Amino acid sequence: MTGPEPVLVAGVGNIFLGDDAFGPEVVRALEQRPLPSGAHVRDFGIRGMDLAYALLGGCATAVLVDAAPRGQRPGTLSLVEAEPPDATVVPEAHGMDPEKVLALATHLGDEPLPRVLVLACEPAVLPSPDEDIAPGLSAPVREAVARAVDALHTLIPVLLADPAAPTPPLGRPMESGTPHAAALPGLGTGGPEDR
């Protein structure tokens, strides 16, 4: 008898660009509250190529934890399901635009990508990559880190039991995106997907 198929939990973001450090901070918080066996937690930072190869590494589901502007109050968490990249998205080996990373993984591998969910946090401070270094999370995003850890502790056991299971609601003050309507949020661009 085999165990559950692994789930990859990937923190993504630049720790030197304000609230873009949300994903790495959630991964760091998970060190104090580890997820169940079968969840592989890793901070990818801005290493898009590493994430692309990890998506091809045999996980059934991947949960990307990222800051993504979606037009909500700062600190709002959203759980959305990424649609597969279409042919118009140009793969990018350097950088961490999640949509381009998925396109790169699709280009590199022969197998279909795993199911990809995004646990996104609405940023308050998200400087552009060409601005000066601005480390540190804003107060609402810092507060959202613990809620994201709670959400992952609810979500991951569900995905380990059934990788195709519907995503559980996050509850207020968080929202859940509908799996069929979600576009992948990229750094500096918000998806139009709302409930």
Side-chain angles (χ1 to χ4, degrees), residues 16-190:
F16 298 113
L17 290 180
D19 288 341
D20 197 43
F22 174 74
E25 287 294 328
V26 170
V27 167
R28 200 168 78 155
L30 285 169
E31 293 172 5
Q32 304 304 313
R33 289 184 58 202
L35 292 169
S37 176
H40 303 287
V41 180
R42 189 167 164 203
D43 176 8
F44 285 89
I46 56 172
R47 297 182 318 276
M49 179 71 86
D50 289 351
L51 177 57
Y53 278 114
L55 290 170
L56 300 171
C59 63
T61 311
V63 180
L64 309 185
V65 183
D66 195 12
R70 301 184 67 238
Q72 305 296 326
R73 262 190 351 253
T76 300
L77 295 179
S78 303
L79 182 62
V80 294
E81 186 153 347
E83 296 176 346
D86 62 34
T88 64
V89 178
V90 179
E92 183 178 287
H94 305 287
M96 184 50 98
D97 178 323
E99 190 174 26
K100 292 180 179 180
V101 170
L102 286 183
L104 177 62
T106 301
H107 180 74
L108 292 172
D110 295 329
E111 300 295 318
L113 291 182
R115 180 184 189 191
V116 177
L117 301 171
V118 181
L119 179 59
C121 181
E122 184 71 31
V125 179
L126 197 60
S128 68
D130 58 348
E131 291 184 49
D132 289 336
I133 291 175
L137 298 178
S138 64
V141 173
R142 164 101 15 231
E143 185 272 332
V145 169
R147 290 187 287 115
V149 170
D150 290 342
L152 289 167
H153 275 274
T154 299
L155 175 63
I156 297 305
V158 172
L159 295 175
L160 286 170
D162 179 4
T167 57
L170 296 176
R172 291 188 172 272
M174 300 173 266
E175 66 173 19
S176 295
T178 52
H180 62 281
L184 191 83
L187 178 63
T189 59

